[in-house]
Amino acid sequence: MTEHELLQAAENAARNAYAPYSGFAVGAALLSSDGVVYTGCNIENRSFGATCCAERTAFFKAVSEGVYDFDAIAIVGGKDGDFTKLCPPCGICRQVMAEFCSGDFKILLRDGEKVQTHTLSGLFPLPFSL
Ligand code: THU
């Protein structure tokens, strides 16, 4: 699975976004350590706080199937079918990533024609812990 293939899987997932309130579609493709891809999209709700982000959808799908080890996630987002602009994960999703992933977990983002490769520790250096 190349970076571009993982980003393409995220874009495909974004096309399933349920985002009638923001009009902002997000897709994520989460690569498990055994090479399986779990995709997710954002799922909004008329009670806005009940919305689930694309990244958490992907994580919760995987974890609910007993998968806990992950190597990377690709994230894309945008309006009107344009998924080329930078779409970094929100703080809540970073905290969820920190629950399951170590600091070297890779986060792939589109930036126009380029790909940005981040680590979880770079984007979220001091996660909450009990
Ligand atoms: N959203 C995500 O899916 N992931 C993020 O990391 C940030 C925001 C969604 C939530 C909402 O449906 C829309 O983007 C606009 O905030």
Side-chain angles (χ1 to χ4, degrees), residues 12-30:
N12 294 346
R15 298 194 189 282
N16 291 329
Y18 176 75
Y21 305 107
S22 71
F24 193 89
V26 184
L30 175 63

Side-chain angles (χ1 to χ4, degrees), residues 34-102:
D34 50 11
V36 179
V37 175
Y38 296 85
T39 59
C41 61
N42 53 329
I43 304 169
E44 297 186 346
N45 192 280
R46 62 191 67 177
S47 174
F48 293 166
T51 291
C52 191
C53 289
E55 300 90 320
R56 280 179 286 143
T57 302
F59 268 91
F60 296 161
K61 279 171 69 178
V63 172
S64 69
E65 294 186 21
V67 176
Y68 293 87
D69 296 315
F70 305 104
D71 288 346
I73 191 168
I75 305 162
V76 306
K79 289 195 164 205
D80 305 319
D82 176 9
F83 298 113
T84 58
K85 294 193 181 74
L86 191 65
C87 183
C90 79
I92 294 175
C93 289
R94 293 179 201 204
Q95 181 68 42
V96 168
M97 291 175 198
E99 183 72 25
F100 298 105
C101 305
S102 53

